Amino acid sequence: MASGDIQNKYQRLAQEYAKMKSQHSVLKKAVIDEQSKVAELTESVKSKDLSIRKFEQEIDSLTFRNQQLAKRVTVLQDELDSVSVKKKNKAKGPVEPPPMVADPSVFGEDLQKKIQENERLHMQVHQESEEHRQVVASLQVRLEQLEKEASQHQAVLDSIHQNHTSLVDKLQQEKAMLEVKLQKQDTDVRDSKRLADHCQQQLKRVHTDLSSRLDDSTKVIQEKVIFNDTKYQEFNVLNVPTHDRKHQVKAKELIGQALGFIGDLVSGMSNYLTYAEQRSQIFPMDSTTGEPLSPVNRRLCQYLHENASYLRPIEQSFRSLHDGLREDALTTLETATGLQDVSEKFHTFVAYMEKLLPYQLRSLEEECAVSTCSATLEARNMELHASLPKLTATLSKLDNYLSLIASASKSSRDHPRTNQPAFFTHMAAGLNQLHEVLKEISKHYNTKVSLEHQLPTATQKLKTTDECVVSSLVALVSCTGKLAPFFSSNLEFFISRAGYRTRGVSLCRDTDGPVSSPVVTSLRDRATSYISRLKRPCPESVPYKTSVLNRRTLLSSTESREGLAQQLTTAQEKIRSLEQEKEHWMLEAQLLQVRLEKETKRVSQLETELRQLQAGEVVTPAPPVGVTPTAASGDKKSVVPDVETSLLGKVESFVADESSESETREQLIKTHFTGRVTELTAQLQLADSKAVNFHSECNCDPGIFCKCCWLKGLLQICVQPCLRRSAVPCS
């Protein structure tokens, strides 16, 4: 453990060293960049100094030139003065030939040019000096900044170098310590290897010994044990457990007592909700007198009227749970699947109460808004208004713990088995809280009713209904007062687990997994029924000699199958011809029926004409029925007897002449039905042939068929328990 910590610490230090090293390289690169920038700036300063020296030399040369020009101007001025003095002397004295002197205007222009050039040079020198001064100042500021940054970087670099140095020293010390520990660990590893080799040798000897024992045990099991029914742990939960019968009897007795309390609670709650519905119909507005109810009270009455559909299933489901208990079968939370149905029905009722709560509170607020409601009555209504949500919250709490307890019989439960005692404890506390809440509601409601009965608008019907509501609340308080102590007094029994043993599973404890399945009882009943059926006397069977003779007879009849098939074919051909004749005569009968109807109509027409003639009226003879006027005006044709001969006998009929259209239609009908009869007869013959073939094959293999049926039934019996186990969740 210590070596692992040291190794981790060494790795962290190595990581920190690598991190510092990377930062050091970055800072070193930044310092090098800054040094290169400082060098560039130094070179720039040197170039600027050179340019300054050059400008200074130019200034010196210009100054020297300016001085020369000034001297030249002085000389020229002296010469000019001497010239002017000589002119004055000439005016006084003899005329002397004037000396050759240059023109003064030329000197003035030359002097003016020199002055302008000197002025321009002075301005240029001043500008260059100002620019040089500004550049030097900016470079000086930049140089100071770079020196400051370089000093800062150098300080950071020094600190990092110092930290790295200390870190390297520390890592070297730890490395030395780790090397010492590594040497110690190597020594321990060598000792461990020697010990492991020794243990490996012992393990081989033990493995050899156990292998020989396993082979002997396997041989004994194969020779002596026919079937090991506890081989698979997941199937052992289907074995019938042995349990304490007294514990089961007490559990059934307690559930029976709880059934009585639940019945009283359901009855009291149903009476309370029913009387509350009657009260809402007569207060604050009496609907029996024609006054309309408010929308809130109308909807509240509608919901209150449905209370029986939510309360009765709770009692019925709990009664089904009680009826499903047996004294000879184990009942635990894991096997009591009926408790899930009780939880679902109770959850539905709690949702119904939560749906009622807003309307109840709104109805109380409407009662407070009535003009006859005093301040005291309004205060009592508000107290009841605050108590009703507590009832719903308590029922919701009980619903949560009941669902958690019922989920113990599910394979997908989300809580361990050790939490079940806490659920029962909280359930007992919830029942006590329900008793206190109902007692508080009864107290507030009784006070409220006593104040309402003092109002002048209180009717006798309202007083009677209020008394019924108060009595139902008192019954609820009494019922919960019995149920809560009953549950608390038997809490230890509910929390304790019944000690039972199942083949293939150790004694049940709180930390054990599921050791019994909800389908064990049904499987036990089926096994009992199966064993009882096996004990019945065997029915009389056919003797072996008789069965052998019957088989020989069957085989001989199978050999004559071809002859029977030929006889059947001949008989079917005769049947087909008879069917055709039958269809033919049916068509003839239909045609005769049509002709009979025509003759009947004709006779009725003739009788009508005869009556008219007897009456003395002139009657225009009508054409015969089914005959066109052209045919009627032509020559009369005599009736020709038509004789038909067939296998069924001879029939003589008188056929009147019909039109070509009728004959064509009749011929088409006859042809169609004849073809259809032929087709159906052929199909019937083919089906009969196949049926005879299948019948002969079935008669040939009765033994195989009976054996297959027996195997099928056996497989169904074996598969059904597996199917039920997969369908019913096991916990």
Side-chain angles (χ1 to χ4, degrees):
M1 187 67 182
S3 61
D5 294 339
I6 293 172
Q7 186 68 21
N8 294 332
K9 189 174 181 181
Y10 180 74
Q11 291 178 357
R12 288 197 298 270
L13 291 174
Q15 292 176 358
E16 291 292 334
Y17 177 73
K19 184 177 179 181
M20 292 294 180
K21 190 174 182 181
S22 61
Q23 293 178 357
H24 178 266
S25 62
V26 172
L27 291 174
K28 185 176 181 181
K29 184 177 180 182
V31 170
I32 293 172
D33 293 340
E34 293 298 331
Q35 289 177 354
S36 63
K37 290 181 181 179
V38 170
E40 291 177 358
L41 292 174
T42 306
E43 293 295 333
S44 176
V45 169
K46 289 181 181 179
S47 63
K48 294 296 182 180
D49 289 338
L50 292 174
S51 61
I52 289 170
R53 293 192 187 95
K54 184 177 179 182
F55 289 139
E56 288 177 351
Q57 291 176 0
E58 290 180 358
I59 290 170
D60 293 338
S61 63
L62 290 173
T63 304
F64 178 72
R65 182 61 178 168
N66 192 11
Q67 291 175 359
Q68 288 180 348
L69 291 174
K71 290 178 180 180
R72 180 63 178 166
V73 170
T74 305
V75 171
L76 291 174
Q77 187 67 33
D78 293 339
E79 290 178 357
L80 183 60
D81 292 339
S82 63
V83 170
S84 61
V85 170
K86 286 180 180 183
K87 284 183 179 181
K88 291 179 181 181
N89 292 329
K90 186 179 180 181
K92 295 179 180 180
V95 178
E96 294 180 358
M100 298 300 294
V101 183
D103 192 1
S105 60
V106 175
F107 288 105
E109 291 178 359
D110 189 12
L111 180 60
Q112 186 67 29
K113 290 180 180 179
K114 296 298 181 178
I115 291 171
Q116 291 177 357
E117 184 179 0
N118 192 15
E119 184 180 0
R120 182 177 60 79
L121 290 173
H122 273 288
M123 293 176 64
Q124 187 176 359
V125 168
H126 180 70
Q127 291 177 358
E128 291 294 336
S129 63
E130 289 294 331
E131 291 178 357
H132 178 264
R133 190 180 300 109
Q134 293 177 359
V135 170
V136 170
S138 62
L139 291 175
Q140 189 68 25
V141 173
R142 178 64 176 166
L143 181 61
E144 291 177 357
Q145 292 179 355
L146 292 176
E147 288 177 353
K148 186 176 181 180
E149 292 179 358
S151 62
Q152 291 178 356
H153 288 304
Q154 187 65 32
V156 173
L157 186 62
D158 294 339
S159 63
I160 292 174
H161 182 69
Q162 185 178 0
N163 292 333
H164 286 179
T165 305
S166 62
L167 182 61
V168 168
D169 295 338
K170 187 176 181 180
L171 290 175
Q172 288 178 353
Q173 293 177 1
E174 292 182 356
K175 181 181 178 181
M177 294 173 63
L178 290 174
E179 288 178 352
V180 174
K181 291 183 179 180
L182 182 61
Q183 293 176 359
K184 184 178 179 181
Q185 293 293 334
D186 290 338
T187 305
D188 295 341
V189 167
R190 286 193 294 270
D191 296 340
S192 300
K193 284 183 178 180
R194 288 195 298 270
L195 182 61
D197 294 337
H198 181 66
C199 293
Q200 187 70 24
Q201 293 176 0
Q202 291 183 353
L203 180 63
K204 288 181 180 179
R205 291 195 297 271
V206 172
H207 184 267
T208 304
D209 187 16
L210 291 177
S211 298
S212 61
R213 292 183 183 181
L214 179 62
D215 294 337
D216 296 339
S217 301
T218 304
K219 186 176 180 180
V220 171
I221 290 173
Q222 291 177 354
E223 293 177 355
K224 303 297 181 180
V225 180
I226 300 176
F227 176 68
N228 184 13
D229 57 351
T230 59
K231 181 178 180 181
Y232 299 102
Q233 185 69 21
E234 58 270 17
F235 292 155
N236 290 332
V237 296
L238 299 177
N239 293 330
V240 179
T242 57
H243 60 281
D244 187 3
R245 189 181 182 88
K246 294 181 179 180
H247 186 277
Q248 180 65 21
V249 171
K250 185 176 180 180
K252 186 174 182 180
E253 180 183 357
L254 292 178
I255 293 177
Q257 295 178 10
L259 176 61
F261 294 137
I262 293 296
D264 296 340
L265 183 62
V266 167
S267 177
M269 185 62 71
S270 178
N271 293 335
Y272 165 66
L273 296 176
T274 303
Y275 292 140
E277 175 192 0
Q278 296 177 5
R279 186 181 186 280
S280 298
Q281 292 177 353
I282 62 176
F283 188 80
M285 297 295 179
D286 192 355
S287 61
T288 58
T289 60
E291 295 181 3
L293 293 176
S294 64
V296 174
N297 279 338
R298 189 183 306 111
R299 185 61 62 88
L300 177 61
C301 293
Q302 178 183 353
Y303 288 155
L304 288 172
H305 189 69
E306 301 172 355
N307 67 84
S309 61
Y310 295 95
L311 286 169
R312 289 176 183 173
I314 298 176
E315 183 179 3
Q316 293 174 358
S317 60
F318 203 85
R319 189 177 298 277
S320 299
L321 173 64
H322 176 264
D323 295 340
L325 299 180
R326 298 171 52 182
E327 295 182 357
D328 57 347
L330 176 66
T331 300
T332 61
L333 288 178
E334 291 76 15
T335 60
T337 56
L339 198 58
Q340 298 179 14
D341 190 23
V342 177
S343 175
E344 292 176 359
K345 298 301 187 295
F346 188 72
H347 178 72
T348 306
F349 170 69
V350 172
Y352 166 73
M353 293 296 293
E354 291 177 351
K355 181 174 66 173
L356 280 180
L357 180 61
Y359 296 98
Q360 291 176 332
L361 300 180
R362 184 59 182 164
S363 178
L364 287 174
E365 293 173 0
E366 289 184 355
E367 291 182 10
C368 294
V370 177
S371 59
T372 58
C373 182
S374 61
T376 306
L377 181 57
E378 183 178 357
R380 300 289 84 77
N381 285 336
M382 288 297 101
E383 291 177 355
L384 184 61
H385 186 282
S387 299
L388 289 177
K390 296 180 182 179
L391 175 62
T392 306
T394 305
L395 292 175
S396 178
K397 179 180 178 182
L398 291 174
D399 175 43
N400 293 333
Y401 288 115
L402 181 60
S403 62
L404 290 173
I405 293 173
S407 64
S409 59
K410 295 180 181 179
S411 59
S412 59
R413 60 183 179 186
D414 298 331
H415 61 273
R417 183 177 295 176
T418 54
N419 291 348
Q420 292 176 3
F423 297 156
F424 279 103
T425 304
H426 290 297
M427 189 78 176
L431 290 174
N432 292 323
Q433 185 179 357
L434 177 63
H435 174 65
E436 296 297 330
V437 170
L438 287 174
K439 186 186 297 184
E440 182 181 354
I441 292 175
S442 177
K443 176 183 177 182
H444 294 329
Y445 197 87
N446 196 4
T447 308
K448 163 187 163 60
V449 165
S450 62
L451 292 175
E452 284 181 352
H453 290 179
Q454 296 176 5
L455 298 176
T457 57
T459 61
Q460 184 62 33
K461 186 176 182 180
L462 175 63
K463 294 179 180 179
T464 304
T465 305
D466 287 339
E467 291 176 358
C468 294
V469 174
V470 171
S471 63
S472 62
L473 285 173
V474 171
L476 283 175
V477 172
S478 175
C479 180
T480 53
K482 296 177 182 178
L483 181 60
F486 163 76
F487 197 88
S488 299
S489 60
N490 295 286
L491 182 60
E492 184 178 356
F493 178 80
F494 293 144
I495 292 175
S496 63
R497 299 190 57 82
Y500 58 93
R501 185 182 295 275
T502 304
R503 294 186 68 250
V505 183
S506 60
L507 188 65
C508 176
R509 297 185 301 273
D510 290 343
T511 57
D512 292 339
V515 294
S516 185
S517 174
V519 299
V520 170
T521 303
S522 61
L523 292 178
R524 176 177 177 274
D525 295 340
R526 290 187 58 191
T528 304
S529 176
Y530 177 72
I531 295 299
S532 62
R533 290 180 182 179
L534 291 179
K535 290 182 179 180
R536 294 179 181 177
C538 297
E540 296 182 359
S541 61
V542 179
Y544 177 73
K545 294 182 179 180
T546 305
S547 63
V548 171
L549 293 175
N550 292 338
R551 180 173 177 78
R552 291 176 181 175
T553 304
L554 182 62
L555 292 175
S556 62
S557 63
T558 304
E559 294 175 355
S560 62
R561 181 175 57 184
E562 296 180 356
L564 293 175
Q566 292 178 358
Q567 294 178 7
L568 181 62
T569 303
T570 304
Q572 286 178 350
E573 290 178 354
K574 291 181 180 180
I575 290 172
R576 183 175 60 182
S577 61
L578 291 175
E579 289 289 340
Q580 293 177 356
E581 292 293 335
K582 177 182 177 182
E583 189 67 25
H584 169 72
W585 287 113
M586 288 178 66
L587 291 173
E588 291 294 338
Q590 291 177 358
L591 294 175
L592 289 175
Q593 184 69 25
V594 172
R595 295 190 183 99
L596 178 61
E597 291 177 356
K598 292 180 180 179
E599 291 298 330
T600 303
K601 291 180 180 180
R602 184 178 178 184
V603 169
S604 62
Q605 290 179 0
L606 292 176
E607 289 178 353
T608 304
E609 292 176 1
L610 180 60
R611 284 195 298 270
Q612 291 178 357
L613 290 174
Q614 290 177 356
E617 298 178 359
V618 179
V619 181
T620 302
V625 180
V627 182
T628 60
T630 305
S633 60
D635 297 335
K636 297 181 180 179
K637 297 182 180 180
S638 60
V639 179
V640 180
D642 188 8
V643 179
E644 297 289 342
T645 305
S646 66
L647 294 175
L648 296 178
K650 183 174 67 174
V651 176
E652 183 176 349
S653 61
F654 296 91
V655 181
D657 293 336
E658 299 291 340
S659 62
S660 59
E661 182 179 358
S662 300
E663 291 178 355
T664 303
R665 183 173 64 253
E666 292 175 1
Q667 186 64 28
L668 290 174
I669 294 172
K670 182 177 180 181
T671 303
H672 170 70
F673 278 104
T674 302
R676 182 62 177 165
V677 168
T678 303
E679 181 181 357
L680 293 174
T681 304
Q683 293 179 0
L684 179 63
Q685 182 179 3
L686 180 61
D688 290 340
S689 300
K690 291 182 178 180
V692 170
N693 189 13
F694 292 154
H695 185 268
S696 61
E697 289 180 358
C698 291
N699 289 333
C700 289
D701 300 328
I704 297 175
F705 180 73
C706 293
K707 185 177 180 180
C708 291
C709 292
W710 179 76
L711 289 174
K712 180 180 178 181
L714 183 61
L715 290 174
Q716 287 179 351
I717 293 173
C718 296
V719 167
Q720 284 179 359
C722 298
L723 293 176
R724 290 194 176 184
R725 182 180 175 275
S726 62
V728 179
C730 296
S731 62

